[in-house]
Amino acid sequence: MNENHTFEQRLAIAKGRRRTKILGLSIILFSINADLITLLSYTEAEISAFLIFKHLFRFLATVFLVISTYKGKNWARIILIICFSLAILLAFFMFFVLLLSDITTLKKVLSVIISTFLIYGLSVYYFIFSLNFKAFFKEQQNNNQ
């Protein structure tokens, strides 16, 4: 951390670091949870090597993007914002489609849909608007140069 920072700047950077770690861990844990729920919803006959590889790739890509964002890579932050925004829109669409057609399935996946709104919604808000994240992110970018 730069010694020329004021106390308030150092505090914002420390808060941003801590909150980014917590949010990153939440994103990774949610990704594991969503992948497991999805894989467990398939029958044994439906599970294939491709399906397992697809979910493993998705999980590893999420971990890579979260770590890259933590390290101050702006391209990773932008990709996460875009992917999470699309996931929120898809969850919103799925909620209404299932609400109008299949309440039984909606009851099964409602926790995943609500978690998607919460985790990804907070992530998008945090990565775009949080002053603590901006201070931490700028510090990470300066350290990488």
Side-chain angles (χ1 to χ4, degrees):
M1 194 176 300
N2 191 339
E3 300 303 322
N4 297 329
H5 291 307
T6 65
F7 175 75
E8 289 82 15
Q9 289 171 327
R10 283 183 275 165
L11 186 62
I13 291 168
K15 283 182 180 179
R17 175 177 288 112
R18 186 178 64 246
R19 290 178 183 168
T20 302
K21 285 179 183 178
I22 292 169
L23 188 60
L25 183 61
S26 299
I27 292 167
I28 290 169
L29 290 174
F30 175 70
S31 182
I32 291 170
N33 183 41
D35 284 336
L36 286 176
I37 287 173
T38 303
L39 285 173
L40 292 174
S41 70
Y42 288 102
T43 63
E44 200 171 309
E46 293 174 320
I47 294 182
S48 65
F50 174 75
L51 186 66
I52 293 171
F53 176 75
K54 181 176 83 169
H55 285 280
L56 183 62
F57 178 79
R58 180 188 164 283
F59 172 72
L60 293 176
T62 301
V63 171
F64 175 73
L65 288 171
V66 166
I67 291 171
S68 296
T69 300
Y70 181 82
K71 289 182 177 181
K73 306 296 183 193
N74 196 44
W75 57 266
R77 181 184 71 88
I78 291 169
I79 290 172
L80 280 178
I81 290 169
I82 291 169
C83 289
F84 292 168
S85 298
L86 291 173
I88 291 167
L89 289 174
L90 180 63
F92 190 72
F93 177 74
M94 283 177 50
F95 174 76
F96 283 108
V97 167
L98 292 173
L99 183 65
L100 296 173
S101 63
D102 189 5
I103 296 295
T104 311
T105 306
L106 179 61
K107 289 179 183 177
K108 291 179 184 177
V109 296
L110 189 59
S111 64
V112 175
I113 291 174
I114 291 171
S115 299
T116 299
F117 287 135
L118 288 175
I119 300 294
Y120 290 167
L122 286 172
S123 299
V124 168
Y125 175 81
Y126 182 74
F127 290 146
I128 294 174
F129 299 111
S130 172
L131 297 178
N132 292 330
F133 175 74
K134 288 178 181 179
F136 168 67
F137 195 72
K138 184 176 179 183
E139 180 70 17
Q140 289 293 83
Q141 288 178 322
N142 290 339
N143 289 343
N144 289 336
Q145 293 177 353

